[in-house]
Amino acid sequence: MTHAAVVERDLSSLPFANLEVLIDEVAAIDTLQKRVHLKNGGECTYDRLCICTGAVPKSLAEHASVVTLRDSTTVEELVSRLPSVRRIVLVGNGGIALELVHALQGMQVVWVARHSHIGDAFFDRDAADYLLSELKTGWITPDIQGRSFGNAVGPRWTSALPSGPSERSITVENDCEVERLVTDRGDWPVTVKLTNGHSHGADLVVCAIGVAPNADWLPQELERSEDDGGVLVNRDMKTSVEGVWAAGDVCTVRSSELQPHWFQMRLWTQARQMGAHAAHTMAGVAEETGSGFTFELFAHVTRFVGKKVVLLGQYNGQRLEHEPESDMVSYSRITEAPESTFVRVLLLRGRLVGAVLIGETNLEEAFENLILDGLDLSTYGPALLDPDLEVDHIFD
Ligand SMILES: Cc1cc2nc3c(=O)[nH]c(=O)nc-3n(C[C@H](O)[C@H](O)[C@H](O)COP(=O)(O)OP(=O)(O)OC[C@H]3O[C@@H](n4cnc5c(N)ncnc54)[C@H](O)[C@@H]3O)c2cc1C
């Protein structure tokens, strides 16, 4: 399992003699002439093209008090506006919201999520409840707490947030959405009206409600996914058009190409793997490098609410909707010492198909192998999670 590190580097530092970098925007692609038209009027031809234009964030509304997070510039904008913020309304329930809610300290936070539990994209209710209880450490009754901020944690983007006292004041609004934003003349520059009838005045609204592939502007002959509009690719990252590949958030891997324990999620780790794999298949060296293996098992390592989180395989029952419930069983355990950890596994007909590991469990490698090996573990039952069980010995 690889840990993703995102490092900004100057383009001139890339050590490839055959690389020419054009700082411009692609305005259009002509797949017949194999030509790319640039915004400044220039153009270039290609033999093989890979589209990696990412995704665009879904937006709540155009409003001076709304920041939609999409890149380092919008994170910088958020950071620059925080010093004057007394109360922030955070809208969204994915990875960005989970990280932000922990990093935003020393101010009132109202967290609006349309699901019944936090982190719906990542966790079932058990794991979400565990994380929420961890988040509640240092939780205080909502009250205006001044204008300084708590420790930032997690990947680099949240570490840009200012630090200060660690107490939190969070109100969670579940099972609802933002109905509308009202510009106030009173205490708050904006009031957020929710579909559950509640209203919250705020200095700032942060929008993190997901992304859509940045594919609308691409030529129509590139086949798209009916589900999310992404450019459809096969397991070699090839699109439906000869000579054109796509990788990262802009693409959607055809469902017929998916391996049992892998599914697509728009993450750095997958974008990086897809980019490398596309490069290898474009250059015709994928077999030598064996990069196709990356699609065998979904694996994501991250930090939420300050804790290490490892997500493996179909950890949340992804792509198992058609399986009879009676064939599936899940076990979970919480340990308090020496460090608080949470482990939840999902088995299908006795075989491990997914796991959620929160905290320093040291189980990721063993569970990764158990999923890939497909060993029948039915005889273990809940004892599979017994802290005294030497999981490595199962392979013997
Ligand atoms: C605030 C935030 C936090 C995140 N945190 C995490 C995290 O903790 N872990 C994680 O795994 N993922 C995280 N993600 C998701 C992750 O950033 C994406 O999955 C990943 O960056 C996708 O990589 P990509 O190369 O496909 O697209 P991008 O990184 O979006 O890159 C696309 C590039 O294409 C350029 N582009 C677009 N259109 C054109 C055009 N017409 N011409 C020229 N250039 C163009 C864009 O300017 C951009 O530079 C986060 C995302 C956000 C917004």
Side-chain angles (χ1 to χ4, degrees), residues 62-316:
E62 283 296 318
H63 191 287
S65 299
V66 176
V67 174
T68 302
L69 291 180
R70 62 175 163 271
D71 50 24
S72 52
T73 311
T74 46
V75 171
E76 274 166 33
E77 186 192 341
L78 171 66
V79 171
S80 72
R81 293 178 72 164
L82 284 179
S84 60
V85 167
R86 297 160 294 166
R87 185 188 294 155
I88 204 163
V89 173
L90 171 60
V91 188
N93 199 15
I96 296 174
L98 272 170
E99 289 185 68
L100 256 190
V101 79
H102 187 251
L104 290 172
Q105 297 176 345
M107 73 186 76
Q108 277 189 286
V109 179
V110 179
W111 185 7
V112 180
R114 73 171 171 200
H115 310 100
S116 57
H117 63 266
I118 66 163
D120 178 80
F122 293 96
F123 304 115
D124 72 340
R125 182 172 287 281
D126 281 359
D129 285 350
Y130 171 79
L131 273 181
L132 198 58
S133 69
E134 291 293 304
L135 183 65
K136 280 180 175 169
T137 311
W139 192 303
I140 56 168
T141 318
D143 190 15
I144 302 295
Q145 291 298 314
R147 297 181 179 195
S148 48
F149 308 96
N151 292 331
V153 291
R156 286 168 67 97
W157 75 274
T158 49
S159 66
L161 268 57
S163 58
S166 62
E167 72 270 18
R168 291 190 186 87
S169 158
I170 304 171
T171 304
V172 182
E173 291 278 16
N174 283 125
D175 281 322
C176 64
E177 293 182 28
V178 173
E179 192 177 81
R180 65 199 157 97
L181 303 178
V182 179
T183 306
D184 272 350
R185 312 244 174 272
D187 274 353
W188 303 101
V190 64
T191 296
V192 182
K193 305 254 181 206
L194 304 177
T195 48
N196 63 5
H198 297 174
S199 294
H200 296 276
D203 293 305
L204 198 62
V205 178
V206 176
C207 176
I209 54 174
V211 295
N214 181 13
D216 284 355
W217 63 283
L218 292 167
Q220 285 313 306
E221 59 271 24
L222 289 163
E223 203 183 331
R224 316 297 164 90
S225 154
E226 281 181 13
D227 291 337
D228 62 15
V231 177
L232 282 170
V233 292
N234 67 11
R235 77 175 59 174
D236 287 337
M237 313 312 300
K238 279 185 177 167
T239 70
S240 55
V241 173
E242 187 55 35
V244 183
W245 279 251
D249 282 3
V250 72
C251 79
T252 301
V253 182
R254 287 178 192 276
S255 53
S256 55
E257 302 281 325
L258 300 180
Q259 305 273 338
H261 303 305
W262 192 88
F263 58 93
Q264 187 172 357
M265 209 183 243
R266 290 187 161 85
L267 297 166
W268 284 322
T269 35
Q270 291 199 356
R272 184 174 167 274
Q273 288 171 341
M274 287 179 180
H277 186 46
H280 291 157
T281 56
M282 288 171 87
V285 297
E287 275 194 22
E288 283 160 50
T289 58
S291 61
F293 83 94
T294 51
F295 300 100
E296 261 189 309
L297 177 72
F298 177 92
H300 185 56
V301 185
T302 185
R303 290 190 88 82
F304 288 137
V305 306
K307 294 197 87 80
K308 179 178 172 184
V309 175
V310 180
L311 305 169
L312 291 175
Q314 295 146 291
Y315 62 89
N316 214 3

